Amino acid sequence: MNPLMIDAADEAENLWLEARLREYGNTNAIRNLAELDGFLTAVISSPQLLPIDRWWPTIWGGLEPAWRDRAERDRVMQQVMIQLAFLSYALTEQHDEFEPIFTLAPNMDPPVEIAKWWCAGYLRGVALGNWPALPLEQQEALALIRLHGSDEQLAQLTRLSLTQYQQSVAEVAPAALKLYAHFQALRGTNTMQIEALAAALSSAFSPALSPALSPILPVNAPTKVGRNAPCPCGSGKKYKQCCLH
């Protein structure tokens, strides 16, 4: 498995979640954390908030997994909820905290980020949301994501030099932010939508999971604290390693 650009504090749970994606997913399922991250970003960026029964089955290839027990299902759902809530926060409140999960090309020194899986997941979310026609600027942003995520664009992608490729990867996050901002402006503030999403997720699975969202949702954050900033609790640790989760 390619190493992932993820926080060390979250690595154990992230790798556990990825193992469940591989274990329970079929050939049509979301296959790794990078693809899941891109998919959830598109879901939260959709012109209309997608109901759970539209996007949750897609993660597993259309079928609810035969979980070992309720605890395993709740643990998976908690991790997905946390990621979805943080994406909502980063896209809405603190853009510099939005960092897509990319894989790393093997045997490259210095490391080279690969955006293929993230962009492929994003495109799956776009298709699920039935996005309308876009203005030219947003068309170009989506075309950049499609360049990295669609097999049909592979020939064009391979014609890029390494420098051009790396610059193109660096533009993926700004492209996603641009698309999110476009639909947010059309639908208005999404704070209530995020709250509704959190409530719907919790009621659909386990009421015990709802506290997992409270440290992340913007409506519960009195100040904007960066993930890498010192934790305001005074522990001396970074916020992402302390009170964020």
Side-chain angles (χ1 to χ4, degrees):
M1 180 185 69
N2 289 332
L4 294 169
M5 304 298 290
I6 56 179
D7 295 329
D10 303 329
E11 184 173 4
E13 283 300 305
N14 281 328
L15 294 180
W16 181 88
L17 175 59
E18 182 164 61
R20 302 292 77 74
L21 292 173
R22 295 181 183 277
E23 178 180 2
Y24 290 120
N26 55 39
T27 55
N28 295 317
I30 300 293
R31 287 158 284 187
N32 55 49
L33 288 178
E35 190 175 6
L36 178 65
D37 190 64
F39 175 73
L40 294 177
T41 301
V43 165
I44 206 68
S45 301
S46 184
Q48 300 294 328
L49 188 64
L50 296 175
I52 299 166
D53 58 8
R54 287 282 304 280
W55 59 264
W56 176 256
T58 301
I59 296 176
W60 310 105
L63 299 173
E64 179 75 13
W67 305 104
R68 292 180 179 85
D69 50 35
R70 178 64 176 267
E72 181 182 52
R73 185 185 72 163
D74 281 359
R75 185 179 174 187
V76 169
M77 193 60 205
Q78 182 179 35
Q79 294 308 307
V80 174
M81 288 170 67
I82 288 172
Q83 182 63 14
L84 191 62
F86 178 74
L87 285 169
S88 300
Y89 171 61
L91 288 165
T92 306
E93 300 289 332
Q94 199 153 339
H95 296 169
D96 60 350
E97 294 293 328
F98 175 65
E99 297 180 3
I101 296 177
F102 296 148
T103 55
L104 297 178
N107 305 318
M108 295 287 287
D109 188 20
V112 174
E113 292 183 329
I114 304 296
K116 173 181 172 58
W117 288 110
W118 190 94
C119 291
Y122 191 96
L123 294 176
R124 294 188 68 172
V126 170
L128 195 66
N130 297 317
W131 286 23
L134 295 166
L136 179 59
E137 185 179 7
Q138 283 71 32
Q139 286 182 35
E140 293 174 348
L142 185 57
L144 175 69
I145 294 174
R146 198 177 302 279
L147 173 65
H148 289 273
S150 173
D151 290 339
E152 297 176 358
Q153 302 296 318
L154 184 60
Q156 180 180 348
L157 191 65
T158 56
R159 287 196 291 268
L160 299 179
S161 68
L162 178 58
T163 299
Q164 290 173 326
Y165 176 83
Q166 291 175 307
Q167 178 59 40
S168 183
V169 169
E171 293 170 356
V172 168
L177 284 166
K178 186 177 297 184
L179 289 162
Y180 177 83
H182 170 69
F183 287 121
Q184 184 188 26
L186 293 179
R187 68 190 180 203
T189 181
N190 74 339
T191 298
M192 292 182 63
Q193 290 179 308
I194 296 171
E195 289 183 291
L197 174 62
L201 287 170
S202 296
S203 62
F205 287 85
S206 170
L209 295 182
S210 57
L213 288 173
S214 59
I216 306 170
L217 289 175
V219 294
N220 292 320
T223 58
K224 297 178 181 179
V225 181
R227 299 185 85 196
N228 293 309
C231 187
C233 76
S235 66
K237 297 180 180 180
K238 291 183 179 181
Y239 181 48
K240 68 183 180 183
Q241 296 172 332
C242 191
C243 293
L244 176 60
H245 300 309

PDB file of all heavy atoms in Angstrom, residues 18-54:
ATOM      1  N   GLU A  18      -9.231   2.072   6.340  1.00  0.00           N
ATOM      2  CA  GLU A  18      -8.871   1.639   4.990  1.00  0.00           C
ATOM      3  C   GLU A  18      -8.918   0.118   4.872  1.00  0.00           C
ATOM      4  O   GLU A  18      -9.337  -0.424   3.837  1.00  0.00           O
ATOM      5  CB  GLU A  18      -7.487   2.147   4.603  1.00  0.00           C
ATOM      6  CG  GLU A  18      -7.103   1.755   3.170  1.00  0.00           C
ATOM      7  CD  GLU A  18      -5.938   2.552   2.637  1.00  0.00           C
ATOM      8  OE1 GLU A  18      -4.856   2.468   3.229  1.00  0.00           O
ATOM      9  OE2 GLU A  18      -6.118   3.252   1.636  1.00  0.00           O
ATOM     10  N   ALA A  19      -8.532  -0.582   5.927  1.00  0.00           N
ATOM     11  CA  ALA A  19      -8.621  -2.041   5.916  1.00  0.00           C
ATOM     12  C   ALA A  19     -10.062  -2.504   5.770  1.00  0.00           C
ATOM     13  O   ALA A  19     -10.361  -3.489   5.094  1.00  0.00           O
ATOM     14  CB  ALA A  19      -8.001  -2.624   7.183  1.00  0.00           C
ATOM     15  N   ARG A  20     -10.995  -1.772   6.399  1.00  0.00           N
ATOM     16  CA  ARG A  20     -12.413  -2.132   6.270  1.00  0.00           C
ATOM     17  C   ARG A  20     -12.911  -1.827   4.851  1.00  0.00           C
ATOM     18  O   ARG A  20     -13.736  -2.581   4.314  1.00  0.00           O
ATOM     19  CB  ARG A  20     -13.260  -1.356   7.295  1.00  0.00           C
ATOM     20  CG  ARG A  20     -12.867  -1.574   8.741  1.00  0.00           C
ATOM     21  CD  ARG A  20     -13.135  -2.963   9.264  1.00  0.00           C
ATOM     22  NE  ARG A  20     -12.194  -3.979   8.842  1.00  0.00           N
ATOM     23  CZ  ARG A  20     -10.936  -4.090   9.314  1.00  0.00           C
ATOM     24  NH1 ARG A  20     -10.468  -3.218  10.200  1.00  0.00           N
ATOM     25  NH2 ARG A  20     -10.162  -5.061   8.888  1.00  0.00           N
ATOM     26  N   LEU A  21     -12.437  -0.741   4.256  1.00  0.00           N
ATOM     27  CA  LEU A  21     -12.817  -0.448   2.876  1.00  0.00           C
ATOM     28  C   LEU A  21     -12.394  -1.583   1.953  1.00  0.00           C
ATOM     29  O   LEU A  21     -13.149  -2.005   1.070  1.00  0.00           O
ATOM     30  CB  LEU A  21     -12.172   0.862   2.416  1.00  0.00           C
ATOM     31  CG  LEU A  21     -12.650   2.162   3.073  1.00  0.00           C
ATOM     32  CD1 LEU A  21     -11.785   3.335   2.626  1.00  0.00           C
ATOM     33  CD2 LEU A  21     -14.122   2.433   2.756  1.00  0.00           C
ATOM     34  N   ARG A  22     -11.190  -2.085   2.169  1.00  0.00           N
ATOM     35  CA  ARG A  22     -10.683  -3.169   1.328  1.00  0.00           C
ATOM     36  C   ARG A  22     -11.395  -4.486   1.635  1.00  0.00           C
ATOM     37  O   ARG A  22     -11.653  -5.294   0.735  1.00  0.00           O
ATOM     38  CB  ARG A  22      -9.177  -3.323   1.519  1.00  0.00           C
ATOM     39  CG  ARG A  22      -8.371  -2.110   1.050  1.00  0.00           C
ATOM     40  CD  ARG A  22      -6.887  -2.332   1.238  1.00  0.00           C
ATOM     41  NE  ARG A  22      -6.126  -1.164   0.850  1.00  0.00           N
ATOM     42  CZ  ARG A  22      -5.766  -0.856  -0.392  1.00  0.00           C
ATOM     43  NH1 ARG A  22      -6.146  -1.649  -1.379  1.00  0.00           N
ATOM     44  NH2 ARG A  22      -5.051   0.223  -0.647  1.00  0.00           N
ATOM     45  N   GLU A  23     -11.714  -4.708   2.877  1.00  0.00           N
ATOM     46  CA  GLU A  23     -12.339  -5.965   3.279  1.00  0.00           C
ATOM     47  C   GLU A  23     -13.775  -6.084   2.784  1.00  0.00           C
ATOM     48  O   GLU A  23     -14.192  -7.142   2.300  1.00  0.00           O
ATOM     49  CB  GLU A  23     -12.318  -6.088   4.802  1.00  0.00           C
ATOM     50  CG  GLU A  23     -12.987  -7.355   5.327  1.00  0.00           C
ATOM     51  CD  GLU A  23     -12.961  -7.452   6.842  1.00  0.00           C
ATOM     52  OE1 GLU A  23     -12.458  -6.515   7.509  1.00  0.00           O
ATOM     53  OE2 GLU A  23     -13.452  -8.476   7.369  1.00  0.00           O
ATOM     54  N   TYR A  24     -14.533  -5.010   2.906  1.00  0.00           N
ATOM     55  CA  TYR A  24     -15.965  -5.082   2.639  1.00  0.00           C
ATOM     56  C   TYR A  24     -16.366  -4.553   1.263  1.00  0.00           C
ATOM     57  O   TYR A  24     -17.485  -4.802   0.810  1.00  0.00           O
ATOM     58  CB  TYR A  24     -16.738  -4.318   3.709  1.00  0.00           C
ATOM     59  CG  TYR A  24     -16.721  -4.983   5.058  1.00  0.00           C
ATOM     60  CD1 TYR A  24     -16.182  -4.340   6.170  1.00  0.00           C
ATOM     61  CD2 TYR A  24     -17.235  -6.264   5.229  1.00  0.00           C
ATOM     62  CE1 TYR A  24     -16.176  -4.949   7.420  1.00  0.00           C
ATOM     63  CE2 TYR A  24     -17.232  -6.878   6.469  1.00  0.00           C
ATOM     64  CZ  TYR A  24     -16.702  -6.213   7.564  1.00  0.00           C
ATOM     65  OH  TYR A  24     -16.685  -6.822   8.787  1.00  0.00           O
ATOM     66  N   GLY A  25     -15.488  -3.816   0.605  1.00  0.00           N
ATOM     67  CA  GLY A  25     -15.843  -3.250  -0.684  1.00  0.00           C
ATOM     68  C   GLY A  25     -15.744  -4.260  -1.809  1.00  0.00           C
ATOM     69  O   GLY A  25     -14.923  -5.182  -1.762  1.00  0.00           O
ATOM     70  N   ASN A  26     -16.582  -4.099  -2.833  1.00  0.00           N
ATOM     71  CA  ASN A  26     -16.474  -4.923  -4.030  1.00  0.00           C
ATOM     72  C   ASN A  26     -15.751  -4.132  -5.116  1.00  0.00           C
ATOM     73  O   ASN A  26     -15.156  -3.091  -4.843  1.00  0.00           O
ATOM     74  CB  ASN A  26     -17.862  -5.387  -4.479  1.00  0.00           C
ATOM     75  CG  ASN A  26     -18.833  -4.227  -4.693  1.00  0.00           C
ATOM     76  OD1 ASN A  26     -18.454  -3.169  -5.201  1.00  0.00           O
ATOM     77  ND2 ASN A  26     -20.083  -4.424  -4.284  1.00  0.00           N
ATOM     78  N   THR A  27     -15.804  -4.605  -6.351  1.00  0.00           N
ATOM     79  CA  THR A  27     -15.057  -3.947  -7.428  1.00  0.00           C
ATOM     80  C   THR A  27     -15.587  -2.547  -7.739  1.00  0.00           C
ATOM     81  O   THR A  27     -14.890  -1.760  -8.381  1.00  0.00           O
ATOM     82  CB  THR A  27     -15.095  -4.793  -8.707  1.00  0.00           C
ATOM     83  OG1 THR A  27     -16.469  -5.064  -9.050  1.00  0.00           O
ATOM     84  CG2 THR A  27     -14.369  -6.116  -8.493  1.00  0.00           C
ATOM     85  N   ASN A  28     -16.796  -2.241  -7.289  1.00  0.00           N
ATOM     86  CA  ASN A  28     -17.369  -0.918  -7.531  1.00  0.00           C
ATOM     87  C   ASN A  28     -17.255   0.002  -6.321  1.00  0.00           C
ATOM     88  O   ASN A  28     -17.795   1.119  -6.339  1.00  0.00           O
ATOM     89  CB  ASN A  28     -18.849  -1.060  -7.912  1.00  0.00           C
ATOM     90  CG  ASN A  28     -19.039  -1.792  -9.219  1.00  0.00           C
ATOM     91  OD1 ASN A  28     -18.319  -1.553 -10.181  1.00  0.00           O
ATOM     92  ND2 ASN A  28     -20.005  -2.708  -9.257  1.00  0.00           N
ATOM     93  N   ALA A  29     -16.587  -0.435  -5.273  1.00  0.00           N
ATOM     94  CA  ALA A  29     -16.552   0.306  -4.016  1.00  0.00           C
ATOM     95  C   ALA A  29     -15.434   1.343  -3.997  1.00  0.00           C
ATOM     96  O   ALA A  29     -14.525   1.338  -4.834  1.00  0.00           O
ATOM     97  CB  ALA A  29     -16.375  -0.665  -2.851  1.00  0.00           C
ATOM     98  N   ILE A  30     -15.504   2.248  -3.011  1.00  0.00           N
ATOM     99  CA  ILE A  30     -14.389   3.141  -2.707  1.00  0.00           C
ATOM    100  C   ILE A  30     -13.271   2.290  -2.141  1.00  0.00           C
ATOM    101  O   ILE A  30     -13.474   1.507  -1.218  1.00  0.00           O
ATOM    102  CB  ILE A  30     -14.822   4.201  -1.672  1.00  0.00           C
ATOM    103  CG1 ILE A  30     -15.994   5.036  -2.207  1.00  0.00           C
ATOM    104  CG2 ILE A  30     -13.643   5.078  -1.267  1.00  0.00           C
ATOM    105  CD1 ILE A  30     -15.677   5.915  -3.373  1.00  0.00           C
ATOM    106  N   ARG A  31     -12.054   2.430  -2.660  1.00  0.00           N
ATOM    107  CA  ARG A  31     -11.018   1.439  -2.375  1.00  0.00           C
ATOM    108  C   ARG A  31      -9.977   1.848  -1.350  1.00  0.00           C
ATOM    109  O   ARG A  31      -9.255   1.005  -0.835  1.00  0.00           O
ATOM    110  CB  ARG A  31     -10.329   1.053  -3.694  1.00  0.00           C
ATOM    111  CG  ARG A  31     -11.195   0.197  -4.580  1.00  0.00           C
ATOM    112  CD  ARG A  31     -10.785   0.260  -6.032  1.00  0.00           C
ATOM    113  NE  ARG A  31     -11.231   1.520  -6.650  1.00  0.00           N
ATOM    114  CZ  ARG A  31     -11.125   1.779  -7.953  1.00  0.00           C
ATOM    115  NH1 ARG A  31     -10.562   0.895  -8.742  1.00  0.00           N
ATOM    116  NH2 ARG A  31     -11.564   2.921  -8.441  1.00  0.00           N
ATOM    117  N   ASN A  32      -9.844   3.129  -1.075  1.00  0.00           N
ATOM    118  CA  ASN A  32      -8.825   3.549  -0.111  1.00  0.00           C
ATOM    119  C   ASN A  32      -9.202   4.914   0.460  1.00  0.00           C
ATOM    120  O   ASN A  32     -10.185   5.532   0.058  1.00  0.00           O
ATOM    121  CB  ASN A  32      -7.428   3.586  -0.766  1.00  0.00           C
ATOM    122  CG  ASN A  32      -7.390   4.448  -2.014  1.00  0.00           C
ATOM    123  OD1 ASN A  32      -7.850   5.581  -2.014  1.00  0.00           O
ATOM    124  ND2 ASN A  32      -6.839   3.899  -3.093  1.00  0.00           N
ATOM    125  N   LEU A  33      -8.409   5.380   1.417  1.00  0.00           N
ATOM    126  CA  LEU A  33      -8.712   6.630   2.107  1.00  0.00           C
ATOM    127  C   LEU A  33      -8.665   7.836   1.182  1.00  0.00           C
ATOM    128  O   LEU A  33      -9.454   8.771   1.335  1.00  0.00           O
ATOM    129  CB  LEU A  33      -7.735   6.835   3.264  1.00  0.00           C
ATOM    130  CG  LEU A  33      -7.909   5.943   4.490  1.00  0.00           C
ATOM    131  CD1 LEU A  33      -6.822   6.262   5.502  1.00  0.00           C
ATOM    132  CD2 LEU A  33      -9.286   6.114   5.104  1.00  0.00           C
ATOM    133  N   ALA A  34      -7.731   7.829   0.251  1.00  0.00           N
ATOM    134  CA  ALA A  34      -7.634   8.957  -0.669  1.00  0.00           C
ATOM    135  C   ALA A  34      -8.896   9.077  -1.509  1.00  0.00           C
ATOM    136  O   ALA A  34      -9.447  10.173  -1.683  1.00  0.00           O
ATOM    137  CB  ALA A  34      -6.401   8.794  -1.560  1.00  0.00           C
ATOM    138  N   GLU A  35      -9.376   7.958  -2.029  1.00  0.00           N
ATOM    139  CA  GLU A  35     -10.600   7.982  -2.828  1.00  0.00           C
ATOM    140  C   GLU A  35     -11.803   8.379  -1.972  1.00  0.00           C
ATOM    141  O   GLU A  35     -12.677   9.135  -2.411  1.00  0.00           O
ATOM    142  CB  GLU A  35     -10.831   6.616  -3.469  1.00  0.00           C
ATOM    143  CG  GLU A  35     -11.948   6.609  -4.497  1.00  0.00           C
ATOM    144  CD  GLU A  35     -12.077   5.276  -5.221  1.00  0.00           C
ATOM    145  OE1 GLU A  35     -11.378   4.314  -4.860  1.00  0.00           O
ATOM    146  OE2 GLU A  35     -12.900   5.206  -6.153  1.00  0.00           O
ATOM    147  N   LEU A  36     -11.848   7.884  -0.736  1.00  0.00           N
ATOM    148  CA  LEU A  36     -12.941   8.251   0.171  1.00  0.00           C
ATOM    149  C   LEU A  36     -12.925   9.748   0.461  1.00  0.00           C
ATOM    150  O   LEU A  36     -13.968  10.402   0.469  1.00  0.00           O
ATOM    151  CB  LEU A  36     -12.819   7.460   1.472  1.00  0.00           C
ATOM    152  CG  LEU A  36     -13.867   7.776   2.547  1.00  0.00           C
ATOM    153  CD1 LEU A  36     -15.267   7.383   2.077  1.00  0.00           C
ATOM    154  CD2 LEU A  36     -13.531   7.056   3.854  1.00  0.00           C
ATOM    155  N   ASP A  37     -11.749  10.311   0.698  1.00  0.00           N
ATOM    156  CA  ASP A  37     -11.622  11.732   0.997  1.00  0.00           C
ATOM    157  C   ASP A  37     -12.119  12.586  -0.168  1.00  0.00           C
ATOM    158  O   ASP A  37     -12.836  13.575   0.018  1.00  0.00           O
ATOM    159  CB  ASP A  37     -10.159  12.049   1.315  1.00  0.00           C
ATOM    160  CG  ASP A  37      -9.966  13.445   1.875  1.00  0.00           C
ATOM    161  OD1 ASP A  37     -10.490  13.721   2.974  1.00  0.00           O
ATOM    162  OD2 ASP A  37      -9.284  14.258   1.232  1.00  0.00           O
ATOM    163  N   GLY A  38     -11.748  12.205  -1.387  1.00  0.00           N
ATOM    164  CA  GLY A  38     -12.226  12.930  -2.560  1.00  0.00           C
ATOM    165  C   GLY A  38     -13.724  12.804  -2.734  1.00  0.00           C
ATOM    166  O   GLY A  38     -14.415  13.781  -3.048  1.00  0.00           O
ATOM    167  N   PHE A  39     -14.239  11.599  -2.509  1.00  0.00           N
ATOM    168  CA  PHE A  39     -15.671  11.356  -2.632  1.00  0.00           C
ATOM    169  C   PHE A  39     -16.463  12.203  -1.640  1.00  0.00           C
ATOM    170  O   PHE A  39     -17.437  12.870  -2.002  1.00  0.00           O
ATOM    171  CB  PHE A  39     -15.950   9.870  -2.404  1.00  0.00           C
ATOM    172  CG  PHE A  39     -17.400   9.499  -2.391  1.00  0.00           C
ATOM    173  CD1 PHE A  39     -18.146   9.480  -3.560  1.00  0.00           C
ATOM    174  CD2 PHE A  39     -18.026   9.153  -1.203  1.00  0.00           C
ATOM    175  CE1 PHE A  39     -19.483   9.133  -3.554  1.00  0.00           C
ATOM    176  CE2 PHE A  39     -19.367   8.804  -1.184  1.00  0.00           C
ATOM    177  CZ  PHE A  39     -20.103   8.791  -2.361  1.00  0.00           C
ATOM    178  N   LEU A  40     -16.031  12.205  -0.378  1.00  0.00           N
ATOM    179  CA  LEU A  40     -16.733  12.981   0.648  1.00  0.00           C
ATOM    180  C   LEU A  40     -16.646  14.484   0.377  1.00  0.00           C
ATOM    181  O   LEU A  40     -17.580  15.228   0.668  1.00  0.00           O
ATOM    182  CB  LEU A  40     -16.180  12.662   2.029  1.00  0.00           C
ATOM    183  CG  LEU A  40     -16.427  11.229   2.534  1.00  0.00           C
ATOM    184  CD1 LEU A  40     -15.762  11.024   3.890  1.00  0.00           C
ATOM    185  CD2 LEU A  40     -17.906  10.909   2.607  1.00  0.00           C
ATOM    186  N   THR A  41     -15.522  14.927  -0.181  1.00  0.00           N
ATOM    187  CA  THR A  41     -15.390  16.346  -0.524  1.00  0.00           C
ATOM    188  C   THR A  41     -16.432  16.736  -1.568  1.00  0.00           C
ATOM    189  O   THR A  41     -17.061  17.798  -1.466  1.00  0.00           O
ATOM    190  CB  THR A  41     -13.982  16.648  -1.046  1.00  0.00           C
ATOM    191  OG1 THR A  41     -13.009  16.308  -0.051  1.00  0.00           O
ATOM    192  CG2 THR A  41     -13.829  18.119  -1.403  1.00  0.00           C
ATOM    193  N   ALA A  42     -16.641  15.890  -2.573  1.00  0.00           N
ATOM    194  CA  ALA A  42     -17.652  16.179  -3.588  1.00  0.00           C
ATOM    195  C   ALA A  42     -19.054  16.095  -3.007  1.00  0.00           C
ATOM    196  O   ALA A  42     -19.926  16.890  -3.368  1.00  0.00           O
ATOM    197  CB  ALA A  42     -17.507  15.213  -4.763  1.00  0.00           C
ATOM    198  N   VAL A  43     -19.283  15.150  -2.095  1.00  0.00           N
ATOM    199  CA  VAL A  43     -20.598  15.023  -1.463  1.00  0.00           C
ATOM    200  C   VAL A  43     -20.946  16.302  -0.716  1.00  0.00           C
ATOM    201  O   VAL A  43     -22.059  16.832  -0.829  1.00  0.00           O
ATOM    202  CB  VAL A  43     -20.635  13.806  -0.516  1.00  0.00           C
ATOM    203  CG1 VAL A  43     -21.844  13.860   0.416  1.00  0.00           C
ATOM    204  CG2 VAL A  43     -20.656  12.512  -1.316  1.00  0.00           C
ATOM    205  N   ILE A  44     -20.007  16.817   0.061  1.00  0.00           N
ATOM    206  CA  ILE A  44     -20.272  18.013   0.862  1.00  0.00           C
ATOM    207  C   ILE A  44     -20.293  19.271  -0.009  1.00  0.00           C
ATOM    208  O   ILE A  44     -20.795  20.319   0.397  1.00  0.00           O
ATOM    209  CB  ILE A  44     -19.234  18.148   2.009  1.00  0.00           C
ATOM    210  CG1 ILE A  44     -19.820  18.943   3.169  1.00  0.00           C
ATOM    211  CG2 ILE A  44     -17.938  18.760   1.520  1.00  0.00           C
ATOM    212  CD1 ILE A  44     -20.933  18.258   3.906  1.00  0.00           C
ATOM    213  N   SER A  45     -19.737  19.171  -1.230  1.00  0.00           N
ATOM    214  CA  SER A  45     -19.726  20.308  -2.152  1.00  0.00           C
ATOM    215  C   SER A  45     -20.919  20.299  -3.091  1.00  0.00           C
ATOM    216  O   SER A  45     -21.065  21.215  -3.906  1.00  0.00           O
ATOM    217  CB  SER A  45     -18.440  20.286  -2.990  1.00  0.00           C
ATOM    218  OG  SER A  45     -17.290  20.334  -2.179  1.00  0.00           O
ATOM    219  N   SER A  46     -21.760  19.294  -3.018  1.00  0.00           N
ATOM    220  CA  SER A  46     -22.856  19.112  -3.965  1.00  0.00           C
ATOM    221  C   SER A  46     -23.813  20.298  -3.963  1.00  0.00           C
ATOM    222  O   SER A  46     -23.983  20.966  -2.939  1.00  0.00           O
ATOM    223  CB  SER A  46     -23.617  17.834  -3.614  1.00  0.00           C
ATOM    224  OG  SER A  46     -24.627  17.568  -4.566  1.00  0.00           O
ATOM    225  N   PRO A  47     -24.445  20.583  -5.104  1.00  0.00           N
ATOM    226  CA  PRO A  47     -25.406  21.689  -5.157  1.00  0.00           C
ATOM    227  C   PRO A  47     -26.513  21.568  -4.115  1.00  0.00           C
ATOM    228  O   PRO A  47     -26.983  22.571  -3.591  1.00  0.00           O
ATOM    229  CB  PRO A  47     -25.978  21.578  -6.579  1.00  0.00           C
ATOM    230  CG  PRO A  47     -24.923  20.876  -7.363  1.00  0.00           C
ATOM    231  CD  PRO A  47     -24.253  19.950  -6.415  1.00  0.00           C
ATOM    232  N   GLN A  48     -26.932  20.350  -3.819  1.00  0.00           N
ATOM    233  CA  GLN A  48     -27.908  20.081  -2.768  1.00  0.00           C
ATOM    234  C   GLN A  48     -27.321  19.035  -1.821  1.00  0.00           C
ATOM    235  O   GLN A  48     -26.620  18.130  -2.266  1.00  0.00           O
ATOM    236  CB  GLN A  48     -29.222  19.562  -3.357  1.00  0.00           C
ATOM    237  CG  GLN A  48     -29.902  20.528  -4.316  1.00  0.00           C
ATOM    238  CD  GLN A  48     -30.373  21.790  -3.617  1.00  0.00           C
ATOM    239  OE1 GLN A  48     -30.739  21.769  -2.443  1.00  0.00           O
ATOM    240  NE2 GLN A  48     -30.389  22.907  -4.351  1.00  0.00           N
ATOM    241  N   LEU A  49     -27.614  19.172  -0.529  1.00  0.00           N
ATOM    242  CA  LEU A  49     -27.107  18.214   0.435  1.00  0.00           C
ATOM    243  C   LEU A  49     -27.672  16.832   0.128  1.00  0.00           C
ATOM    244  O   LEU A  49     -28.889  16.638   0.098  1.00  0.00           O
ATOM    245  CB  LEU A  49     -27.493  18.635   1.845  1.00  0.00           C
ATOM    246  CG  LEU A  49     -26.874  17.824   2.985  1.00  0.00           C
ATOM    247  CD1 LEU A  49     -25.364  18.000   3.001  1.00  0.00           C
ATOM    248  CD2 LEU A  49     -27.462  18.252   4.320  1.00  0.00           C
ATOM    249  N   LEU A  50     -26.796  15.877  -0.126  1.00  0.00           N
ATOM    250  CA  LEU A  50     -27.239  14.542  -0.499  1.00  0.00           C
ATOM    251  C   LEU A  50     -27.658  13.753   0.732  1.00  0.00           C
ATOM    252  O   LEU A  50     -26.941  13.738   1.734  1.00  0.00           O
ATOM    253  CB  LEU A  50     -26.111  13.789  -1.218  1.00  0.00           C
ATOM    254  CG  LEU A  50     -25.657  14.382  -2.556  1.00  0.00           C
ATOM    255  CD1 LEU A  50     -24.460  13.603  -3.087  1.00  0.00           C
ATOM    256  CD2 LEU A  50     -26.792  14.363  -3.562  1.00  0.00           C
ATOM    257  N   PRO A  51     -28.800  13.065   0.683  1.00  0.00           N
ATOM    258  CA  PRO A  51     -29.193  12.226   1.819  1.00  0.00           C
ATOM    259  C   PRO A  51     -28.265  11.035   1.956  1.00  0.00           C
ATOM    260  O   PRO A  51     -27.608  10.606   1.002  1.00  0.00           O
ATOM    261  CB  PRO A  51     -30.618  11.786   1.456  1.00  0.00           C
ATOM    262  CG  PRO A  51     -30.675  11.878  -0.040  1.00  0.00           C
ATOM    263  CD  PRO A  51     -29.783  13.023  -0.413  1.00  0.00           C
ATOM    264  N   ILE A  52     -28.209  10.507   3.148  1.00  0.00           N
ATOM    265  CA  ILE A  52     -27.303   9.391   3.430  1.00  0.00           C
ATOM    266  C   ILE A  52     -27.539   8.212   2.513  1.00  0.00           C
ATOM    267  O   ILE A  52     -26.585   7.571   2.052  1.00  0.00           O
ATOM    268  CB  ILE A  52     -27.463   8.949   4.896  1.00  0.00           C
ATOM    269  CG1 ILE A  52     -27.116  10.085   5.835  1.00  0.00           C
ATOM    270  CG2 ILE A  52     -26.587   7.737   5.209  1.00  0.00           C
ATOM    271  CD1 ILE A  52     -27.566   9.845   7.246  1.00  0.00           C
ATOM    272  N   ASP A  53     -28.801   7.920   2.237  1.00  0.00           N
ATOM    273  CA  ASP A  53     -29.076   6.732   1.437  1.00  0.00           C
ATOM    274  C   ASP A  53     -28.652   6.885  -0.014  1.00  0.00           C
ATOM    275  O   ASP A  53     -28.692   5.926  -0.783  1.00  0.00           O
ATOM    276  CB  ASP A  53     -30.557   6.342   1.518  1.00  0.00           C
ATOM    277  CG  ASP A  53     -31.499   7.447   1.053  1.00  0.00           C
ATOM    278  OD1 ASP A  53     -31.020   8.467   0.527  1.00  0.00           O
ATOM    279  OD2 ASP A  53     -32.720   7.274   1.226  1.00  0.00           O
ATOM    280  N   ARG A  54     -28.200   8.086  -0.392  1.00  0.00           N
ATOM    281  CA  ARG A  54     -27.636   8.278  -1.717  1.00  0.00           C
ATOM    282  C   ARG A  54     -26.153   7.997  -1.749  1.00  0.00           C
ATOM    283  O   ARG A  54     -25.627   7.424  -2.731  1.00  0.00           O
ATOM    284  CB  ARG A  54     -27.884   9.726  -2.195  1.00  0.00           C
ATOM    285  CG  ARG A  54     -29.304  10.039  -2.595  1.00  0.00           C
ATOM    286  CD  ARG A  54     -29.654   9.493  -3.982  1.00  0.00           C
ATOM    287  NE  ARG A  54     -28.745   9.966  -5.007  1.00  0.00           N
ATOM    288  CZ  ARG A  54     -28.829  11.161  -5.578  1.00  0.00           C
ATOM    289  NH1 ARG A  54     -29.783  12.018  -5.200  1.00  0.00           N
ATOM    290  NH2 ARG A  54     -27.974  11.511  -6.513  1.00  0.00           N
TER     291      ARG A  54
END
